Amino acid sequence: MMFRMSTGPGPVHRRYFRPVTRDEDDDTERQPDIRCLDRRTVYENPWMTLTEDVVERRDGSTGIYGVVRSRDFSLIVPFDGVHFHLVEQYRYPVEQRLWEFPQGAVVDPPGLTPREAAAVELQEEAGLVADTWTHLGFLHAGYGRSSSGFDVFLATDLSPVPTSREIEEQDMRCGTFTEDEVWQLISRGLMTDSHSVAALAFLDRHMRRVAH
């Protein structure tokens, strides 16, 4: 596949999109389907907060809902015209070394835009800077249990620079792969990160658009 790049539009966060499924004149349309009655923090660290919410549903029944609350993050698809640049690291929760696209949230400095955070993560993890950035879309990371989401960026016109990985990323390594090789990693169970696989769908949609 021959790739053409474009700067594309700025971020459009899909988190705010609400499809209309009821009569807009119906007062119930403006009420949430699940309402929080009470919230307590079960656990908290610098990266995430786990809350247990007491909730009320539309029919008046109540229950509890556990939510992992963490920062939104940025995921980068670095492409040099032939190869994708991936990183591999040991993922402790699943006890495996796996490949993925560079990704993460930036705490320091605070207040960065998603694109600025993406540039920081690309340099830190992959040792790359990009002259061209294309925003591909926004997704929720796992809205059945978590509030966080992520912006996906295509990074092109790449140049190498030194990495500056955090101590938690000391085992990380980089690799370059063609599109077919990326799908082979997925098929072999060596790239199982759902965020990265979803990013490929965004990329495919983008390439179809620029091809016309």
Side-chain angles (χ1 to χ4, degrees):
M1 180 185 300
M2 182 64 68
F3 291 92
R4 280 181 52 209
M5 306 305 165
S6 69
T7 55
V12 178
H13 287 189
R14 303 299 181 187
R15 74 186 89 181
Y16 302 121
F17 174 74
R18 177 181 58 81
V20 176
T21 56
R22 304 183 186 92
D23 185 349
E24 288 291 353
D25 293 330
D26 185 353
D27 287 340
T28 61
E29 171 63 17
R30 289 183 286 274
Q31 301 298 320
D33 290 297
I34 302 177
R35 186 167 65 98
C36 179
L37 301 178
D38 189 38
R39 174 173 298 161
R40 72 182 183 96
T41 298
V42 178
Y43 173 77
E44 188 172 16
N45 66 30
W47 300 276
M48 52 83 74
T49 299
L50 174 62
T51 66
E52 182 180 89
D53 296 2
V54 178
V55 299
E56 181 182 62
R57 305 178 189 90
R58 274 279 178 90
D59 64 358
S61 63
T62 59
I64 60 171
Y65 209 123
V67 181
V68 177
R69 303 180 187 279
S70 56
R71 296 178 179 87
D72 289 353
F73 60 95
S74 296
L75 181 147
I76 308 96
V77 180
F79 183 66
D80 63 16
V82 178
H83 296 97
F84 294 98
H85 294 248
L86 305 180
V87 295
E88 185 207 50
Q89 62 181 315
Y90 185 76
R91 286 302 193 179
Y92 178 76
V94 295
E95 300 181 342
Q96 295 182 69
R97 292 194 63 86
L98 296 165
W99 290 96
E100 63 194 43
F101 286 120
Q103 57 191 280
V106 177
V107 180
D108 186 19
L112 297 182
T113 67
R115 216 285 293 162
E116 290 169 338
V120 172
E121 291 295 332
L122 181 62
Q123 179 271 317
E124 286 184 350
E125 295 190 358
L128 295 169
V129 294
D131 286 339
T132 305
W133 291 88
T134 306
H135 185 262
L136 299 180
F138 176 89
L139 292 171
H140 288 104
Y143 53 39
R145 66 184 185 280
S146 173
S147 63
S148 72
F150 61 102
D151 288 276
V152 180
F153 294 92
L154 174 64
T156 56
D157 298 321
L158 305 172
S159 301
V161 294
T163 61
S164 55
R165 294 171 183 149
E166 300 173 351
I167 189 171
E168 297 87 356
E169 300 167 337
Q170 59 186 279
D171 67 310
M172 184 179 287
R173 69 186 181 109
C174 300
T176 57
F177 302 87
T178 64
E179 183 184 10
D180 286 342
E181 289 169 339
V182 170
W183 284 108
Q184 288 173 22
L185 291 175
I186 296 169
S187 297
R188 293 165 57 195
L190 300 176
M191 182 175 172
T192 60
D193 175 49
S194 59
H195 310 144
S196 296
V197 177
L200 292 172
F202 268 142
L203 179 65
D204 180 69
R205 182 188 66 169
H206 171 72
M207 299 317 305
R208 291 174 186 273
R209 286 178 173 177
V210 300
H212 288 86

